[in-house]
Amino acid sequence: MRTIPQTLSLTFSIVCHKTDIKALHRNFHQIVATGICRSDDHVVSGALVMPFPIILGHEAAGVVESVGQGVTSVKPGDKVIPLFVPQCGECKSCLSTKGNLCSKTDLGSRAGLMPDGTTRFTCKGKAVYHFLGTSTFTEYTVVPESAVAKINPAAPLEKVCLIGCGFSTGYGAALQTAKVEPGSTCAIFGLGGVGLSVVMGCKVAGASRIIAVDINKDKFAKAKQLGATDCINPKDFNKPIHEVLMEMTDGGVDYSFEVIGRTDTMTAALACCHSNYGVSVIVGVPPAAQNITFDPMLLFTGRSWKGSVFGGWKSKDAVPKLVADYMKKTFVLDPLITHTLPWTKINEGFDLLRTGKSIRSVLTF
Ligand code: PAD
Ligand code: ZN
Ligand code: ZN
């Protein structure tokens, strides 16, 4: 079992394990970074149910400190990004060309444990759970080999950590899940780090109209900077937002994305799609214990409803390529990073997210 260091030192590494052997704790000092995503906060609020106590954090970049027996794809010293959706390469989803949600993903009834059913963290002798197989709000973490991708050693870890979740999730929702086409009309509900990455994906795909929707108008300037053609605030209208969008787009959008995590906006996003061919993608994490009641006529008349986890990317294959694309300046990450804080200011980072003042806060160790 692994013990959480009781005092924080300014180091962070990733220990990879294929088999259940004890990790050696060595001081391999590397500066690394982890972003704060709304999904971390969903666990704190209870919207995403996980076992406690737990080490949150899943959007990070780090350096391999040591590897367990049989690990071949990374070695100590490699720069890596942990993968909250792993790619085991063996399960039905991994073997299918269609999806990316590996059956080893740390969700569901066995959430909080390594694939072998153990937890590698303890605190004062008690078990502490893993989060999404990654747990990055810590100096050292342990991940299965299928949940870590080796990246270009020249990549700036305090930027590319966003490829571990927010950026890839939004960008892939547009490019991989929706497969937005040139000339199409898109609506994005929610302009956090993930929603703004959807905006970027729609723009790269050649969408001609990108309508950004948020109740916080402070998010509009950045949405426009990243490609939004229109920005609307549901609070400015005295009719439902899906009706506003349908009027704006002569009957509805080609693609809509819910990037908030609310059932009412999930339904509104479906309803604002054009009949016959409109596609709505749920990216926001559905709140626990809530169901949706909706008019099935919306689907009967040809709209499709999809979901997207980690942007549909097969993670271990895609993440090194996304990092390479970032290094080639195919896309930017800087506009998403509004705050870079020392790890000790993690609570400030959460406050900035909750008060709508940040896009992404990156914590550095
Ligand atoms: P965020 O909190 O930074 O952004 C959410 C945005 O939604 C904010 O700008 C809010 O102002 C806005 N908003 C809130 N309520 C409304 C409303 N009623 N109408 C319009 N806008 C509203 O979050 P984020 O960008 O980090 O994450 C967004 C969601 O995506 C969240 O649910 C998160 O858990 C989920 C997520 N999913 C995946 C995945 O793989 N599917 C990955 C990462 C995050
Ligand atoms: Zn996330
Ligand atoms: Zn798999």
PDB file of all heavy atoms in Angstrom, residues 36-40 58-59 84 131-132 164-166 169 194 360, ligand 2:
ATOM      1  N   ILE A  36      -7.983  22.363 -12.740  1.00  0.00           N
ATOM      2  CA  ILE A  36      -9.200  22.088 -11.970  1.00  0.00           C
ATOM      3  C   ILE A  36     -10.370  22.079 -12.948  1.00  0.00           C
ATOM      4  O   ILE A  36     -10.607  23.055 -13.660  1.00  0.00           O
ATOM      5  CB  ILE A  36      -9.437  23.161 -10.880  1.00  0.00           C
ATOM      6  CG1 ILE A  36      -8.260  23.196  -9.909  1.00  0.00           C
ATOM      7  CG2 ILE A  36     -10.753  22.886 -10.147  1.00  0.00           C
ATOM      8  CD1 ILE A  36      -8.359  24.287  -8.838  1.00  0.00           C
ATOM      9  N   CYS A  37     -11.068  20.947 -13.003  1.00  0.00           N
ATOM     10  CA  CYS A  37     -12.196  20.758 -13.929  1.00  0.00           C
ATOM     11  C   CYS A  37     -13.485  20.741 -13.108  1.00  0.00           C
ATOM     12  O   CYS A  37     -13.475  20.377 -11.940  1.00  0.00           O
ATOM     13  CB  CYS A  37     -12.002  19.424 -14.652  1.00  0.00           C
ATOM     14  SG  CYS A  37     -13.377  18.893 -15.679  1.00  0.00           S
ATOM     15  N   ARG A  38     -14.586  21.088 -13.738  1.00  0.00           N
ATOM     16  CA  ARG A  38     -15.869  21.063 -13.018  1.00  0.00           C
ATOM     17  C   ARG A  38     -16.195  19.657 -12.518  1.00  0.00           C
ATOM     18  O   ARG A  38     -16.868  19.506 -11.506  1.00  0.00           O
ATOM     19  CB  ARG A  38     -16.976  21.609 -13.911  1.00  0.00           C
ATOM     20  CG  ARG A  38     -18.332  21.661 -13.266  1.00  0.00           C
ATOM     21  CD  ARG A  38     -18.401  22.559 -12.047  1.00  0.00           C
ATOM     22  NE  ARG A  38     -18.507  23.964 -12.398  1.00  0.00           N
ATOM     23  CZ  ARG A  38     -18.840  24.935 -11.547  1.00  0.00           C
ATOM     24  NH1 ARG A  38     -19.100  24.639 -10.273  1.00  0.00           N
ATOM     25  NH2 ARG A  38     -18.874  26.185 -11.940  1.00  0.00           N
ATOM     26  N   SER A  39     -15.704  18.640 -13.196  1.00  0.00           N
ATOM     27  CA  SER A  39     -16.007  17.271 -12.734  1.00  0.00           C
ATOM     28  C   SER A  39     -15.432  17.024 -11.336  1.00  0.00           C
ATOM     29  O   SER A  39     -16.028  16.275 -10.552  1.00  0.00           O
ATOM     30  CB  SER A  39     -15.464  16.233 -13.721  1.00  0.00           C
ATOM     31  OG  SER A  39     -15.982  16.459 -15.001  1.00  0.00           O
ATOM     32  N   ASP A  40     -14.300  17.644 -11.010  1.00  0.00           N
ATOM     33  CA  ASP A  40     -13.759  17.521  -9.649  1.00  0.00           C
ATOM     34  C   ASP A  40     -14.744  18.131  -8.658  1.00  0.00           C
ATOM     35  O   ASP A  40     -15.033  17.571  -7.597  1.00  0.00           O
ATOM     36  CB  ASP A  40     -12.407  18.250  -9.536  1.00  0.00           C
ATOM     37  CG  ASP A  40     -11.365  17.676 -10.467  1.00  0.00           C
ATOM     38  OD1 ASP A  40     -11.137  16.456 -10.422  1.00  0.00           O
ATOM     39  OD2 ASP A  40     -10.768  18.454 -11.256  1.00  0.00           O
ATOM     40  N   HIS A  58      -7.888  15.098 -12.234  1.00  0.00           N
ATOM     41  CA  HIS A  58      -7.761  14.124 -13.335  1.00  0.00           C
ATOM     42  C   HIS A  58      -7.226  14.757 -14.607  1.00  0.00           C
ATOM     43  O   HIS A  58      -7.141  14.092 -15.627  1.00  0.00           O
ATOM     44  CB  HIS A  58      -9.133  13.488 -13.606  1.00  0.00           C
ATOM     45  CG  HIS A  58     -10.173  14.494 -14.013  1.00  0.00           C
ATOM     46  ND1 HIS A  58     -10.762  15.346 -13.131  1.00  0.00           N
ATOM     47  CD2 HIS A  58     -10.682  14.803 -15.227  1.00  0.00           C
ATOM     48  CE1 HIS A  58     -11.605  16.135 -13.770  1.00  0.00           C
ATOM     49  NE2 HIS A  58     -11.568  15.834 -15.044  1.00  0.00           N
ATOM     50  N   GLU A  59      -6.871  16.056 -14.555  1.00  0.00           N
ATOM     51  CA  GLU A  59      -6.448  16.770 -15.770  1.00  0.00           C
ATOM     52  C   GLU A  59      -5.005  17.229 -15.542  1.00  0.00           C
ATOM     53  O   GLU A  59      -4.780  18.316 -15.018  1.00  0.00           O
ATOM     54  CB  GLU A  59      -7.392  17.974 -15.951  1.00  0.00           C
ATOM     55  CG  GLU A  59      -7.123  18.810 -17.170  1.00  0.00           C
ATOM     56  CD  GLU A  59      -8.111  19.974 -17.238  1.00  0.00           C
ATOM     57  OE1 GLU A  59      -7.839  21.035 -16.641  1.00  0.00           O
ATOM     58  OE2 GLU A  59      -9.154  19.828 -17.882  1.00  0.00           O
ATOM     59  N   PHE A  84      -8.003   9.662 -17.901  1.00  0.00           N
ATOM     60  CA  PHE A  84      -9.138   9.299 -17.042  1.00  0.00           C
ATOM     61  C   PHE A  84     -10.075   8.321 -17.739  1.00  0.00           C
ATOM     62  O   PHE A  84     -10.850   7.633 -17.095  1.00  0.00           O
ATOM     63  CB  PHE A  84      -9.854  10.540 -16.492  1.00  0.00           C
ATOM     64  CG  PHE A  84     -10.764  11.246 -17.456  1.00  0.00           C
ATOM     65  CD1 PHE A  84     -12.080  10.852 -17.594  1.00  0.00           C
ATOM     66  CD2 PHE A  84     -10.309  12.318 -18.203  1.00  0.00           C
ATOM     67  CE1 PHE A  84     -12.933  11.514 -18.469  1.00  0.00           C
ATOM     68  CE2 PHE A  84     -11.150  12.981 -19.077  1.00  0.00           C
ATOM     69  CZ  PHE A  84     -12.473  12.571 -19.217  1.00  0.00           C
ATOM     70  N   PHE A 131      -9.548   8.614  -8.037  1.00  0.00           N
ATOM     71  CA  PHE A 131     -10.601   9.279  -8.805  1.00  0.00           C
ATOM     72  C   PHE A 131     -10.331   9.090 -10.287  1.00  0.00           C
ATOM     73  O   PHE A 131      -9.275   9.487 -10.790  1.00  0.00           O
ATOM     74  CB  PHE A 131     -10.654  10.770  -8.459  1.00  0.00           C
ATOM     75  CG  PHE A 131     -11.708  11.530  -9.237  1.00  0.00           C
ATOM     76  CD1 PHE A 131     -13.008  11.061  -9.340  1.00  0.00           C
ATOM     77  CD2 PHE A 131     -11.392  12.734  -9.853  1.00  0.00           C
ATOM     78  CE1 PHE A 131     -13.973  11.766 -10.047  1.00  0.00           C
ATOM     79  CE2 PHE A 131     -12.355  13.446 -10.563  1.00  0.00           C
ATOM     80  CZ  PHE A 131     -13.650  12.963 -10.658  1.00  0.00           C
ATOM     81  N   LEU A 132     -11.289   8.488 -10.974  1.00  0.00           N
ATOM     82  CA  LEU A 132     -11.190   8.269 -12.419  1.00  0.00           C
ATOM     83  C   LEU A 132      -9.844   7.666 -12.821  1.00  0.00           C
ATOM     84  O   LEU A 132      -9.270   8.019 -13.856  1.00  0.00           O
ATOM     85  CB  LEU A 132     -11.423   9.601 -13.169  1.00  0.00           C
ATOM     86  CG  LEU A 132     -12.815  10.234 -13.003  1.00  0.00           C
ATOM     87  CD1 LEU A 132     -12.886  11.576 -13.718  1.00  0.00           C
ATOM     88  CD2 LEU A 132     -13.912   9.302 -13.531  1.00  0.00           C
ATOM     89  N   GLY A 164      -5.293  16.492 -20.906  1.00  0.00           N
ATOM     90  CA  GLY A 164      -5.741  15.367 -20.082  1.00  0.00           C
ATOM     91  C   GLY A 164      -7.234  15.357 -19.819  1.00  0.00           C
ATOM     92  O   GLY A 164      -7.789  14.341 -19.414  1.00  0.00           O
ATOM     93  N   CYS A 165      -7.909  16.490 -20.007  1.00  0.00           N
ATOM     94  CA  CYS A 165      -9.372  16.477 -19.907  1.00  0.00           C
ATOM     95  C   CYS A 165     -10.018  17.582 -20.720  1.00  0.00           C
ATOM     96  O   CYS A 165     -10.455  17.363 -21.834  1.00  0.00           O
ATOM     97  CB  CYS A 165      -9.873  16.533 -18.458  1.00  0.00           C
ATOM     98  SG  CYS A 165     -11.684  16.478 -18.435  1.00  0.00           S
ATOM     99  N   GLY A 166     -10.110  18.786 -20.160  1.00  0.00           N
ATOM    100  CA  GLY A 166     -10.995  19.828 -20.692  1.00  0.00           C
ATOM    101  C   GLY A 166     -10.858  20.096 -22.174  1.00  0.00           C
ATOM    102  O   GLY A 166     -11.853  20.077 -22.909  1.00  0.00           O
ATOM    103  N   THR A 169     -11.729  16.912 -24.357  1.00  0.00           N
ATOM    104  CA  THR A 169     -13.147  16.563 -24.233  1.00  0.00           C
ATOM    105  C   THR A 169     -14.002  17.440 -25.145  1.00  0.00           C
ATOM    106  O   THR A 169     -14.848  16.953 -25.898  1.00  0.00           O
ATOM    107  CB  THR A 169     -13.589  16.714 -22.763  1.00  0.00           C
ATOM    108  OG1 THR A 169     -12.865  15.767 -21.985  1.00  0.00           O
ATOM    109  CG2 THR A 169     -15.077  16.488 -22.594  1.00  0.00           C
ATOM    110  N   VAL A 194     -14.364  23.392 -21.032  1.00  0.00           N
ATOM    111  CA  VAL A 194     -14.780  22.343 -21.964  1.00  0.00           C
ATOM    112  C   VAL A 194     -15.607  22.950 -23.101  1.00  0.00           C
ATOM    113  O   VAL A 194     -15.360  22.685 -24.281  1.00  0.00           O
ATOM    114  CB  VAL A 194     -15.550  21.223 -21.228  1.00  0.00           C
ATOM    115  CG1 VAL A 194     -15.843  20.074 -22.171  1.00  0.00           C
ATOM    116  CG2 VAL A 194     -14.763  20.715 -20.022  1.00  0.00           C
ATOM    117  N   ARG A 360      -9.873  27.968 -16.767  1.00  0.00           N
ATOM    118  CA  ARG A 360      -9.134  26.910 -16.100  1.00  0.00           C
ATOM    119  C   ARG A 360      -8.088  27.524 -15.168  1.00  0.00           C
ATOM    120  O   ARG A 360      -7.357  28.434 -15.555  1.00  0.00           O
ATOM    121  CB  ARG A 360      -8.402  26.026 -17.108  1.00  0.00           C
ATOM    122  CG  ARG A 360      -9.260  24.919 -17.685  1.00  0.00           C
ATOM    123  CD  ARG A 360      -9.684  23.960 -16.573  1.00  0.00           C
ATOM    124  NE  ARG A 360     -10.198  22.696 -17.081  1.00  0.00           N
ATOM    125  CZ  ARG A 360     -11.493  22.388 -17.203  1.00  0.00           C
ATOM    126  NH1 ARG A 360     -12.438  23.249 -16.868  1.00  0.00           N
ATOM    127  NH2 ARG A 360     -11.860  21.193 -17.654  1.00  0.00           N
TER     128      ARG A 360
HETATM  129 ZN    ZN B   2     -12.434  16.939 -16.448  1.00  0.00          ZN
END
